[in-house]
Amino acid sequence: MLRKTLIAVAIVVGAATPLLAANDVNPQADAKAFKEYFTKRFPKVPLKDFVNGPYSMDEGLRKQWEAIDQFPPYDFAVDKGKQMFATPFKNGKTFADCFPNKGIGIRQNYPYFDTKSGQVISLEYAVNQCLKDNGEKPFDYTKDDMAAVTAYMAFTSRGKPFDIKIPNDPRALAAYQRGKEYFYTRRGQLNFSCASCHVQSPGHRIRTEVLAPAYGITAALPIYRSAWNGMGTTTRRFRTCNSQVRGMPLPGGDEDYRDVEYFLSYVSNGLPISGPGTRP
Amino acid sequence: MHTRVLVRLAVLLSLGGFATAASAASADDYKSASAKAEAVIKQAHALKNEWSTTVAAMKAAKKAADAGKFDEAVKHAQEAEALAHASIAQAQEQAKIWRDAEVR
């Protein structure tokens, strides 16, 4: 009888082991592996400089950036965002009423997993939620007002290290894993994943652009991008990447975009917020 | 004899005319090709993996159909269907192999 039981247990354990291995979700190990991969590949890049994207990889570009940054092109967006932050909604409340610490110096905590709603809340999503909760029309996710408000919030958080948390909640782990899957999944007719450019090819050129490393890539957002001739948000960056590989972009606020930002920001924990940034 | 030749010629000519008519697509042919493509595109959409080239091909199909160029319209709709099939295959394959690219 005992022998039969032991055999049955052995069969069950043997069958379950590969399943557990395949579904293993370990964000801490991912973050460690991410950091090791990029620091080994780019040993001359100071850790905190990864957030400066292509400028950490290319000396010529860096010089241009330093010159441009003497009169930062995102300044107008920061000023506009500050003004918008101070302007009351129709109900008399302001953005400050929607955020911890009145919205100042908190960019490094976004995205976070909201255990109440069971979903990832990115900063852009939170801004639009704030507007909706106060009877205002939500912003376009890609530029203009959204870029201005998030630029101001990033500006007040500069230098603060990413501190993304994954609560002990299977839904949070699942969201993280979905974000990771999105990041590594090839899509579009050109069959590129986010990782194809930002893990396999950072520092290399794709046409005239130097590709940024994935490590710390969300820290500089939103950005003023010369190619856009204006500001763009995290959503705009994701949507542009999708279009560039001939895939259809997702709508602003889509769960996939929030999840991939959650993954990317988590594996960049400890790196400083540098946004708003400037990019070619 | 002469009559038989003429009859044969008439039959051949009528067959030729029929063949010409068969190769020219109609509005119904376009509608059918478009509906087939739409059904596959719907599946790609559900997988959140539509390609922009699929959308462009469908737009081109509609534009050609609106101009009464149904041969061209059918061709574009069929192209869209093929692209949608490819995007579905890509999504299904990637669901199995994305972890191969993971940084470990």
Side-chain angles (χ1 to χ4, degrees):
Chain A
M1 179 63 190
L2 182 66
R3 193 169 167 241
K4 270 188 182 169
T5 309
L6 283 174
I7 290 169
V9 167
I11 289 169
V12 168
V13 169
T17 305
L19 193 69
L20 284 173
N23 294 329
D24 188 27
V25 183
N26 190 341
Q28 279 180 317
D30 289 346
K32 189 169 174 277
F34 226 68
K35 186 179 176 180
E36 275 176 15
Y37 173 83
F38 285 100
T39 50
K40 274 184 187 165
R41 186 159 169 186
F42 301 102
K44 289 182 185 165
V45 173
L47 192 70
K48 289 182 179 177
D49 202 29
F50 279 102
V51 298
N52 294 317
Y55 310 124
S56 67
M57 315 260 112
D58 188 286
E59 205 177 326
L61 269 182
R62 189 177 192 96
K63 281 182 183 161
Q64 289 179 38
W65 169 52
E66 283 167 355
I68 289 168
D69 228 33
Q70 288 180 19
F71 300 96
Y74 51 73
D75 263 0
F76 296 105
V78 174
D79 290 346
K80 186 182 172 189
K82 187 177 182 182
Q83 200 180 354
M84 289 169 77
F85 233 76
T87 308
F89 303 134
K90 284 192 276 296
N91 65 5
K93 293 193 174 180
T94 64
F95 279 113
D97 294 311
C98 296
F99 293 96
N101 200 38
K102 299 193 181 299
I104 304 303
I106 59 162
R107 164 72 182 98
Q108 70 281 2
N109 302 322
Y110 287 80
Y112 72 93
F113 186 82
D114 178 30
T115 49
K116 212 171 175 183
S117 63
Q119 60 177 337
V120 169
I121 310 292
S122 65
L123 188 61
E124 291 161 13
Y125 192 83
V127 164
N128 267 351
Q129 201 57 53
C130 177
L131 289 166
K132 282 189 230 167
D133 291 346
N134 286 288
E136 300 285 329
K137 198 180 159 204
F139 295 153
D140 176 326
Y141 267 92
T142 59
K143 50 189 177 177
D144 303 330
D145 290 345
M146 180 62 86
V149 168
T150 54
Y152 173 62
M153 293 179 83
F155 189 75
T156 66
S157 314
R158 273 191 170 174
K160 291 181 185 284
F162 258 132
D163 187 19
I164 307 301
K165 293 187 170 62
I166 300 177
N168 187 19
D169 183 324
R171 296 171 304 169
L173 272 182
Y176 168 87
Q177 189 70 355
R178 281 196 302 273
K180 182 177 162 181
E181 180 172 349
Y182 189 90
F183 180 75
Y184 287 109
T185 295
R186 289 175 180 268
R187 54 177 48 83
Q189 195 186 22
L190 298 185
N191 203 35
F192 271 51
S193 69
C194 308
S196 305
C197 288
H198 302 290
V199 171
Q200 290 154 24
S201 315
H204 292 296
R205 283 185 183 273
I206 189 160
R207 302 183 81 175
T208 60
E209 291 185 39
V210 175
L211 292 165
Y215 189 45
I217 200 167
T218 53
L221 294 161
I223 49 172
Y224 180 94
R225 200 165 170 235
S226 305
W228 293 334
N229 199 23
M231 293 292 294
T233 60
T234 305
T235 300
R236 187 173 187 182
R237 186 59 271 188
F238 289 155
R239 284 175 60 88
T240 305
C241 285
N242 285 158
S243 301
Q244 283 170 328
V245 300
R246 297 185 189 166
M248 286 303 287
L250 300 173
D254 191 276
E255 191 181 37
D256 282 356
Y257 282 165
R258 285 181 279 137
D259 290 348
V260 74
E261 190 187 346
Y262 191 43
F263 162 74
L264 277 170
S265 305
Y266 179 83
V267 294
S268 302
N269 261 348
L271 293 181
I273 296 297
S274 62
T278 312
R279 294 291 182 269
Chain B
M1 181 66 187
H2 185 65
T3 310
R4 283 172 74 181
V5 171
L6 280 177
V7 168
R8 278 180 187 167
L9 191 62
V11 168
L12 278 173
L13 282 173
S14 70
L15 279 175
F18 178 76
T20 308
S23 71
S26 66
D28 284 344
D29 294 331
Y30 161 67
K31 277 180 193 163
S32 166
S34 174
K36 272 178 80 181
E38 286 289 2
V40 186
I41 290 168
K42 207 174 164 186
Q43 292 174 46
H45 186 76
L47 291 168
K48 286 182 156 179
N49 199 41
E50 271 180 279
W51 291 353
S52 53
T53 40
T54 311
V55 176
M58 280 304 274
K59 273 188 190 163
K62 188 176 181 312
K63 196 178 168 191
D66 289 346
K69 298 173 181 172
F70 294 112
D71 275 345
E72 202 181 314
V74 168
K75 201 178 106 193
H76 285 305
Q78 287 169 342
E79 184 193 354
E81 186 189 346
L83 289 167
H85 273 300
S87 69
I88 291 168
Q90 180 191 47
Q92 289 168 342
E93 185 196 38
Q94 285 295 307
K96 292 177 197 154
I97 64 166
W98 68 268
R99 290 199 82 148
D100 294 350
E102 189 184 339
V103 172
R104 290 192 173 93

